[in-house]
Amino acid sequence: MSFKNLHRKFKNTEFSDKEFDPISAFETEGTKENTYLIPEERFSEPIADYSELLAEVNSLNSALAKALSNLNLYQQQAIFSKDKKLLLSAMVGSGKTTVLTYKILYLHFVKRVPLSQMAVLTFTNKAAREIKERILSFYTQSVIPESTELRYFGTFHSIARQLIKEHPMLEKLGFTNSFSIMDQETKDDFLQRLILSNELDIKYRNKLDKRLKLYKHEKQILYGNMKNTDDLPELLKLSQKEKQTNNLMDFDDLISVANWLLKRQQIFLPDWIVIDEFQDCNEDQLQLINYLSKENTHFFAVGDPNQSIYAWRGSTNKIFQQFVEDLSCKIMRLPFNYRTSGRLLEAAASLLQHEGNNLHATRPKGNKLIIKNHFDDNQEAYYYVQKFKELHKQGVPFEEIAILFRTRQQIAIFESIFEMEHIPCQVIRKISLREQTALFWLQKLLLSALHPNDIDSILQVFTSTDFGCLKSGKRMLTKFYKFSEATEYKTKLEAFADFLKCKYPEHEQYIILAYQLIQFPSFLQNKKQKDIYDFLALDVFLKPTSVHYKEYSTDIKNALYELNYYSNKNYFGNWLEIYQAAMSQVNLEGHFQINTGQDKTTKGVHLLSIHTAKGLEFDYVFLSGANTGIIPLERKKAAYDHLKEEKRLLFVALTRARNHIEISWHTQSNAWNAQEGPSYFLNSIPSSLIERIENNTEKNVTKNIKKEIQNRSEEKWTKGSKVKHPKYGKGIIVSCNNQDVVCDFGKFGEKSFASAWAPLIKI
């Protein structure tokens, strides 16, 4: 089957929304359960010995041969395979990234395939970075490949960006190869500015991105309770025109624009296409793969259909089924799990019924899975306080403990109680640059200089609450547009610099900054360039007398170091192109730590959603609040495919653990859609693998917990009182009642807490 046919089949896949009884559907085995089961006869089994091939590798690269000799036969089989098209079904914890990396090294060092003739596509920057680092570790310092050879190693979005930059037809779309990339928050600002400046009538602005996608794909304008149409089509037209005028693209544009260009002219046809996490591909990504393929292209994809949990992003596990039907494709597997102990892996595999029968544990049987009942999430949180203190005394690091949640809303109460009880914890989530005041301003500052028509970044620089000089709003925008239209300017940055000079001459330092930003590209071209920090005189705007000066100054200098390091090691071209590429990477990753990933300095128990936990592992895993209605998450139209994915999501949760899994459910759940009793998914797990602990609230809640609950319930908060929070610092209570207390923490804004559990100390 060609990728073109696969793409067409994938596009035409229909998912039924017919109503059915979800519990009985899962309690009855049938043909539906095996819709993507790979038949045993489709798997190619390894031979007994690969010693001859290992000897060949050893004659060319002894370090690689030594590494390959430590792999099992299934892993060696995939690496040594000569098949033109190979799909590797890699079970959880089976070393898929290792196999993928060694496959690339084997092709390069032994089969002499140039790295420049490979396209290696991943779904996360972390995976792309890890693959590159492992590859480079096999080179001596003198022969490290040039960055141009690895420019098609990365995420789908980063490779799409590279293809767009190199495509000769880009200008026909109204863009240049120096285009800037908008992250989601910048896109939101961009759209809100268009609505404001054009006085558009747009309903459901908080759902604007979703509404635009529905309109583009399905021509749906009405949304929610709307009875009449609004200006959504006009907004879409204006945004497309504005993007072209300002040379901007958002994340969704990257792959769609790359596909549009490659459909008309294919500019890169690699000998090998290598894909990680293949089960997560959506329609647009499959189309991109198709446009990178030629008749003789070799294809090597690694994935696990049991971990297909991103249907809401357009992926489907049925992609594996299409390859099973394609007899020209070789199907191999990695069946050995090196992570999870025997009983726990068997319990997780039982959720998949026939699909899990290829999982084989390599570790001892270990403990049973524990299912424990708690009265509610408050009691559960205090149970964890005591449990984790005991584990820590026994030598278990807090970092080896994780609590997983189906929804992010479940996390807040645990974070509050842990902080109050001095249990170190880290909520694993992506911290946006907008939440980091100085770095967000630096991002907009550099984007303004590198992309001088990016009016949204320019406005963010000079209207910043912390570092700017102007007040944002329609009045200022109208004033600027009227001024810029009166005189023709090459760029919006030049127009804004003159606008400041003429209309706001009192802001002398900001006028100087605006003209320095205009000179920034010339500054970068100068080989004797000074430090960017000094060139832009950033100290003036960070205010050395400010209480946050040291923090802000350090953050910005570290960020500039990351940009310089990335530019020297990873990219090519003149300095302007280098910095544009570096800033594009910042926008793609959402942070400035683009060389080694975000620095996770926070220590403690991990609190994270199941989706966020994918790819991670811990010694101790606790799955919180697993009531029916939460797992599976209740939907108004719960189609069969949704419930199948929810079951795979539970499988992912259980296979994060190495040695201990404990699942809780609540007698009285605080989650809005939770039902009574534990998830019916747990009925799939054999009782011989489970230890059930029923809970009597009065007996199991300790005296200390009872006392804490009583003290917190009786504590009186008063409006206007000064308080201190362990994370947000000093604040003032702005409102309170028996249920909630709301505090204003200045730059952190207002935060709400449950009155009985607020981690606040009165000053």
Side-chain angles (χ1 to χ4, degrees):
M1 178 184 296
S2 69
F3 286 104
K4 185 175 182 180
N5 291 334
L6 174 61
H7 169 249
R8 186 178 66 251
K9 278 196 171 189
F10 189 21
K11 185 175 182 179
N12 294 332
T13 299
E14 293 183 0
F15 300 95
S16 172
D17 281 334
K18 293 180 180 179
E19 293 185 4
F20 66 99
D21 180 359
I23 298 179
S24 62
F26 272 101
E27 288 178 345
T28 304
E29 289 190 30
T31 56
K32 276 186 175 181
E33 191 68 26
N34 302 322
T35 52
Y36 66 98
L37 176 64
I38 301 176
E40 281 291 319
E41 61 270 17
R42 284 293 279 121
F43 287 114
S44 175
E45 293 298 308
I47 62 176
D49 185 13
Y50 289 96
S51 57
E52 289 186 10
L53 288 168
L54 286 169
E56 178 190 357
V57 177
N58 189 57
S59 66
L60 298 169
N61 191 307
S62 58
L64 180 59
K66 183 178 180 181
L68 296 181
S69 65
N70 293 325
L71 303 181
N72 65 46
L73 292 177
Y74 287 92
Q75 293 170 326
Q76 291 175 352
Q77 177 197 23
I79 292 167
F80 294 135
S81 167
K82 297 179 181 179
D83 297 289
K84 182 179 175 182
K85 189 186 299 183
L86 171 60
L87 177 62
L88 185 61
S89 180
M91 299 295 103
V92 62
S94 60
K96 67 176 182 62
T97 304
T98 297
V99 171
L100 186 145
T101 305
Y102 287 150
K103 179 73 173 183
I104 296 169
L105 290 167
Y106 175 73
L107 291 173
H108 180 56
F109 285 113
V110 180
K111 296 303 179 181
R112 302 302 182 188
V113 179
L115 293 175
S116 60
Q117 279 302 309
M118 298 184 199
V120 179
L121 300 113
T122 70
F123 279 87
T124 66
N125 291 292
K126 178 184 176 183
R129 192 178 290 114
E130 182 180 349
I131 291 169
K132 284 183 182 180
E133 288 173 353
R134 288 193 189 185
I135 291 171
L136 293 176
S137 69
F138 276 81
Y139 286 86
T140 61
Q141 189 66 30
S142 58
V143 294
I144 287 179
E146 295 182 3
S147 55
T148 53
E149 296 182 61
L150 294 170
R151 69 185 189 277
Y152 296 115
F153 282 55
T155 63
F156 276 89
H157 285 98
S158 65
I159 290 176
R161 173 196 168 276
Q162 187 63 36
L163 291 165
I164 292 170
K165 277 181 64 66
E166 296 176 3
H167 205 285
M169 296 179 64
L170 178 59
E171 291 190 4
K172 289 188 177 181
L173 284 176
F175 297 96
T176 71
N177 61 9
S178 63
F179 64 88
S180 180
I181 301 170
M182 295 188 289
D183 57 26
Q184 187 57 49
E185 291 181 330
T186 304
K187 181 182 177 181
D188 293 340
D189 291 338
F190 168 81
L191 293 172
Q192 296 302 332
R193 174 177 62 80
L194 290 180
I195 293 170
L196 182 66
S197 59
N198 292 279
E199 299 183 344
L200 300 179
D201 174 28
I202 301 292
K203 305 294 191 299
Y204 291 98
R205 292 191 188 183
N206 60 329
K207 300 287 186 180
L208 191 52
D209 196 51
K210 185 175 182 179
R211 288 197 61 201
L212 285 171
K213 287 179 181 178
L214 285 172
Y215 178 71
K216 281 192 282 187
H217 296 297
E218 302 175 21
K219 298 302 177 186
Q220 176 183 322
I221 298 180
L222 297 180
Y223 185 84
N225 296 322
M226 289 174 60
K227 290 182 171 52
N228 300 307
T229 59
D230 58 6
D231 294 332
L232 190 71
E234 180 66 18
L235 176 61
L236 183 59
K237 290 179 183 178
L238 284 170
S239 68
Q240 291 172 338
K241 183 178 179 181
E242 188 80 356
K243 285 177 185 177
Q244 292 170 325
T245 302
N246 295 344
N247 209 24
L248 296 170
M249 294 187 198
D250 59 44
F251 284 172
D252 293 332
D253 295 329
L254 287 174
I255 295 179
S256 61
V257 169
N259 285 338
W260 188 93
L261 293 169
L262 294 175
K263 182 179 181 180
R264 285 150 182 83
Q265 182 179 342
Q266 291 173 285
I267 62 168
F268 176 57
L269 295 170
D271 293 334
W272 278 84
I273 296 176
V274 180
I275 305 173
D276 188 24
E277 302 287 8
F278 187 54
Q279 77 280 350
D280 292 337
C281 284
N282 62 26
E283 179 187 329
D284 288 339
Q285 288 155 348
L286 280 176
Q287 193 175 61
L288 180 63
I289 296 167
N290 179 48
Y291 289 138
L292 291 174
S293 303
K294 57 185 177 182
E295 185 178 350
N296 296 322
T297 298
H298 289 75
F299 174 79
F300 180 79
V302 182
D304 181 4
N306 297 325
Q307 296 189 73
S308 177
I309 57 174
Y310 293 107
W312 48 276
R313 292 197 316 212
S315 63
T316 172
N317 63 302
K318 289 180 174 60
I319 192 172
F320 272 73
Q321 185 177 346
Q322 308 298 341
F323 273 84
V324 171
E325 295 170 357
D326 179 8
L327 298 180
S328 69
C329 179
K330 187 74 72 170
I331 310 291
M332 296 181 184
R333 60 184 167 188
L334 300 180
F336 295 109
N337 177 286
Y338 293 95
R339 176 190 301 158
T340 306
S341 58
R343 283 195 180 96
L344 299 185
L345 183 64
E346 188 179 348
S350 65
L351 293 168
L352 304 174
Q353 295 187 13
H354 299 295
E355 298 127 330
N357 62 5
N358 289 324
L359 272 173
H360 300 285
T362 61
R363 297 186 56 213
K365 285 190 174 182
N367 301 320
K368 292 183 178 181
L369 180 148
I370 296 173
I371 299 178
K372 186 174 176 62
N373 170 225
H374 295 282
F375 179 72
D376 59 14
D377 49 8
N378 292 301
Q379 184 202 336
E380 182 184 9
Y382 274 103
Y383 161 77
Y384 287 148
V385 168
Q386 292 186 333
K387 178 82 173 178
F388 297 166
K389 285 181 178 178
E390 291 172 4
L391 288 174
H392 194 60
K393 286 181 181 178
Q394 295 169 14
V396 178
F398 284 124
E399 293 73 35
E400 283 297 333
I401 303 171
I403 308 178
L404 308 186
F405 305 86
R406 177 60 185 88
T407 66
R408 294 196 59 81
Q409 290 75 17
Q410 296 170 269
I411 297 177
I413 186 65
F414 291 84
E415 183 181 14
S416 295
I417 291 177
F418 284 6
E419 288 177 351
M420 190 166 53
E421 294 293 329
H422 308 294
I423 297 291
C425 66
Q426 48 183 318
V427 179
I428 307 300
R429 67 183 182 91
K430 185 177 180 180
I431 301 175
S432 70
L433 281 171
R434 192 179 293 270
E435 297 176 74
Q436 303 169 77
T437 308
L439 294 182
F440 178 69
W441 189 67
L442 176 66
Q443 178 196 29
K444 299 306 175 185
L445 194 72
L446 295 176
L447 289 176
S448 300
L450 297 169
H451 306 280
N453 280 320
D454 184 354
I455 186 60
D456 292 292
S457 291
I458 296 167
L459 291 172
Q460 289 280 5
V461 169
F462 294 97
T463 63
S464 167
T465 304
D466 297 277
F467 308 112
C469 61
L470 302 180
K471 185 176 180 181
S472 179
K474 183 179 178 181
R475 183 178 178 183
M476 191 273 292
L477 271 176
T478 304
K479 199 173 179 180
F480 167 66
Y481 287 138
K482 187 176 180 180
F483 175 87
S484 60
E485 289 168 2
T487 307
E488 193 170 324
Y489 289 95
K490 289 182 179 179
T491 67
K492 288 183 170 61
L493 181 58
E494 290 179 5
F496 201 87
D498 280 2
F499 172 67
L500 277 177
K501 185 177 180 180
C502 294
K503 301 297 182 181
Y504 302 94
E506 67 275 16
H507 297 306
E508 183 178 353
Q509 292 294 340
Y510 290 92
I511 295 169
I512 294 173
L513 176 63
Y515 286 107
Q516 288 294 86
L517 292 176
I518 294 172
Q519 296 300 317
F520 191 73
S522 299
F523 163 78
L524 287 177
Q525 302 288 11
N526 183 358
K527 293 182 180 179
K528 297 180 180 179
Q529 58 179 284
K530 299 177 184 177
D531 183 71
I532 292 175
Y533 190 95
D534 293 333
F535 175 76
L536 296 176
L538 297 185
D539 259 349
V540 173
F541 309 98
L542 299 182
K543 303 178 180 66
T545 58
S546 166
V547 67
H548 297 295
Y549 168 74
K550 187 174 180 180
E551 173 192 349
Y552 290 163
S553 176
T554 301
D555 285 349
I556 286 180
K557 288 177 180 178
N558 288 340
L560 292 173
Y561 170 81
E562 290 276 343
L563 289 172
N564 285 327
Y565 186 87
Y566 181 88
S567 300
N568 287 322
K569 297 291 184 182
N570 292 279
Y571 253 92
F572 43 91
N574 61 50
W575 274 99
L576 178 58
E577 292 174 330
I578 287 171
Y579 263 77
Q580 286 173 341
M583 283 307 300
S584 290
Q585 194 64 26
V586 169
N587 293 343
L588 285 170
E589 297 202 31
H591 56 77
F592 276 93
Q593 288 76 42
I594 52 178
N595 297 296
T596 57
Q598 283 188 285
D599 181 24
K600 295 180 175 62
T601 55
T602 306
K603 303 295 183 183
V605 176
H606 295 75
L607 309 178
L608 65 170
S609 69
I610 302 174
H611 281 96
T612 307
K614 186 172 179 287
L616 303 177
E617 57 184 79
F618 310 91
D619 275 344
Y620 288 79
V621 170
F622 299 82
L623 178 59
S624 176
N627 287 56
T628 294
I630 301 296
I631 296 178
L633 194 64
E634 187 178 86
R635 301 287 191 194
K636 289 182 179 179
K637 293 183 179 181
Y640 189 80
D641 288 302
H642 163 71
L643 294 180
K644 284 281 289 179
E645 177 160 316
E646 288 290 303
K647 208 168 193 182
R648 293 195 296 273
L649 192 61
L650 179 57
F651 170 81
V652 169
L654 300 191
T655 52
R656 298 311 93 199
R658 290 190 285 261
N659 300 308
H660 179 97
I661 299 173
E662 188 170 310
I663 301 176
S664 75
W665 61 278
H666 300 150
T667 302
Q668 184 174 304
S669 177
N670 293 320
W672 67 273
N673 55 343
Q675 301 172 22
E676 290 185 10
S679 169
Y680 58 84
F681 280 176
L682 301 178
N683 295 334
S684 301
I685 303 174
S687 57
S688 60
L689 302 174
I690 294 175
E691 178 184 349
R692 295 183 183 271
I693 302 177
E694 297 298 329
N695 183 38
N696 183 311
T697 304
E698 292 301 317
K699 290 182 179 180
N700 288 328
V701 178
T702 65
K703 292 181 180 180
N704 289 336
I705 295 177
K706 287 183 182 179
K707 185 177 180 181
E708 184 64 37
I709 292 174
Q710 184 179 0
N711 291 341
R712 289 284 168 181
S713 299
E714 293 176 354
E715 187 164 9
K716 302 295 182 182
W717 303 108
T718 55
K719 184 177 179 180
S721 297
K722 294 182 179 180
V723 293
K724 186 175 181 180
H725 186 276
K727 177 184 288 186
Y728 306 118
K730 295 180 180 179
I732 297 176
I733 296 177
V734 295
S735 67
C736 54
N737 52 44
N738 291 334
Q739 285 77 40
D740 302 297
V741 54
V742 180
C743 304
D744 184 355
F745 293 100
K747 69 173 183 177
F748 292 105
E750 291 187 356
K751 304 291 180 182
S752 178
F753 309 95
S755 293
W757 312 104
L760 303 171
I761 300 173
K762 288 184 177 180
I763 302 176

